[in-house]
Amino acid sequence: KRPAENETAQVSVRFHLAVFILSAGTYVGRREIARMMWKNHESWGADVQRLLYYKFVCGQTNISFVNKAISEENATHGDLLIAKVEEDYQLLTEKVLWIMNWAVENIEFDYLLKTDDDTFINVPEFYNSVPSTNQTKFYRGYTIRDALVRRNTSDKWYVSRTVYKPDYYPPYNRGNGYLLSNDLVSLVGRKGLAMKQQERMTVEDTFVAVLLSEENVKPQHDRHVFAFPFRSACLPQNRQNVHLLGGLGEGELRQVIINFRNNDTLCAHIDTKYWM
């Protein structure tokens, strides 16, 4: 038996920011660590508590003990959504499209943040950086330019010329943290589902950018978003400047959250020799 898909949000408030954190059913440890950050409501302030919506999103699986564990976890925390997409990295684009269409159909929101369960977010600071007015054609994150399309079939991020012909992607915001205005969420969800699955590239962040580039929407770079574990995030002056830090291991994420709570530098007690 699969856990409930939570198809209806049962909420009446219009959220200023809706956050969807991509996870997987078996990533229980990651979610428990991330909840150290997302359950820290008392430090957010009243507006953030009231106007921020967040859910971890897992895919579907036929493994009974995983489904049982997910159901029990959601009964405890109430912060899981089960996308109507099989749990498979190659179906990541399908999961993101499901999220966007689910959000448009089930909740009222101004902006949507798509992020991952290995990402640290300074929730109040990130929330406060979101435009206070309801803008349109807003697409912000860690912008990557001149990215070469991977053509090696053994590559994790392989995309065939049948799916995407150019050799380079348009500028795009990396997938561990991009922010979209409501109109663009609706646009991407609608355009994506209008395509056949075999026409959609499996690299979700570049897929989103390609759809938006067709509408002449360009990404904005957010200097407060660190899409990779950069050593510059460790500088004392960057403790409040880092709104998002992605690509962390479980132990690193836990320690960054603890450091943040203790008003320490974000990278204290972390071996950063492999960081960029």
Side-chain angles (χ1 to χ4, degrees):
K1 181 180 178 181
R2 283 177 171 151
E5 272 98 0
N6 300 327
E7 292 178 346
T8 305
Q10 300 294 332
V11 292
S12 57
V13 66
R14 183 178 182 90
F15 298 101
H16 189 51
L17 176 62
V19 182
F20 293 89
I21 310 149
L22 264 65
S23 190
T26 55
Y27 292 173
V28 180
R30 289 191 191 183
R31 289 191 294 278
E32 283 304 303
I33 293 169
R35 286 189 183 103
M36 296 168 59
M37 173 175 62
W38 290 106
K39 293 286 188 180
N40 193 26
H41 300 166
E42 66 275 6
S43 67
W44 292 2
D47 281 349
V48 182
Q49 290 184 48
R50 184 169 55 90
L51 298 176
L52 183 143
Y53 175 92
Y54 73 90
K55 291 286 185 181
F56 293 93
V57 184
C58 300
Q60 293 182 332
T61 175
N62 290 318
I63 304 173
S64 58
F65 75 86
V66 174
N67 289 331
K68 182 176 184 293
I70 290 174
S71 294
E72 292 173 352
E73 182 182 347
N74 202 30
T76 300
H77 299 285
D79 58 5
L80 292 176
L81 280 177
I82 309 302
K84 290 185 174 181
V85 177
E86 290 300 317
E87 196 69 85
D88 187 327
Y89 187 82
Q90 294 304 310
L91 295 176
L92 199 55
T93 296
E94 309 305 309
K95 185 188 282 190
V96 169
L97 288 177
W98 184 92
I99 288 170
M100 292 184 178
N101 285 287
W102 185 93
V104 169
E105 293 171 3
N106 288 280
I107 60 175
E108 295 288 326
F109 65 96
D110 298 327
Y111 297 90
L112 182 149
L113 171 66
K114 180 267 165 182
T115 187
D116 298 327
D117 60 7
D118 62 354
T119 300
F120 165 77
I121 298 178
N122 180 336
V123 177
E125 290 295 334
F126 189 94
Y127 181 90
N128 290 333
S129 76
V130 176
S132 57
T133 56
N134 190 2
Q135 297 186 21
T136 58
K137 294 190 174 181
F138 188 88
Y139 172 41
R140 191 177 75 187
Y142 185 91
T143 305
I144 294 178
R145 302 180 185 278
D146 302 317
L148 191 66
V149 181
R150 309 285 185 89
R151 301 300 188 191
N152 188 329
T153 56
S154 64
D155 196 299
K156 183 178 181 180
W157 297 287
Y158 164 75
V159 173
S160 72
R161 289 194 183 275
T162 304
V163 171
Y164 187 69
K165 291 182 180 179
D167 291 324
Y168 290 87
Y169 290 118
Y172 71 95
N173 289 330
R174 197 162 189 273
N176 48 13
Y178 55 80
L179 185 66
L180 292 168
S181 52
N182 182 294
D183 62 309
L184 294 187
V185 175
S186 179
L187 173 71
V188 171
R190 185 175 65 252
K191 288 187 68 173
L193 286 189
M195 301 167 66
K196 296 178 181 178
Q197 184 174 339
Q198 60 266 31
E199 296 173 336
R200 298 192 283 260
M201 65 178 69
T202 57
V203 188
E204 56 90 12
D205 48 11
T206 54
F207 175 75
V208 168
V210 167
L211 293 188
L212 293 179
S213 69
E214 292 171 353
E215 306 296 326
N216 201 31
V217 176
K218 295 178 173 59
Q220 299 180 33
H221 179 68
D222 187 344
R223 63 187 180 87
H224 298 290
V225 169
F226 290 62
F228 305 93
F230 288 119
R231 287 197 185 95
S232 55
C234 305
L235 298 173
Q237 62 267 33
N238 275 340
R239 184 187 174 280
Q240 290 299 127
N241 288 331
V242 177
H243 296 173
L244 184 150
L245 177 62
L248 301 172
E250 285 189 19
E252 292 173 332
L253 179 59
R254 179 189 294 275
Q255 191 60 53
V256 167
I257 295 170
I258 291 171
N259 292 340
F260 181 76
R261 286 185 175 182
N262 293 340
N263 292 313
D264 208 340
T265 59
L266 293 182
C267 309
H269 316 294
I270 297 174
D271 184 355
T272 60
K273 66 182 177 183
Y274 297 111
W275 287 31
M276 298 182 179

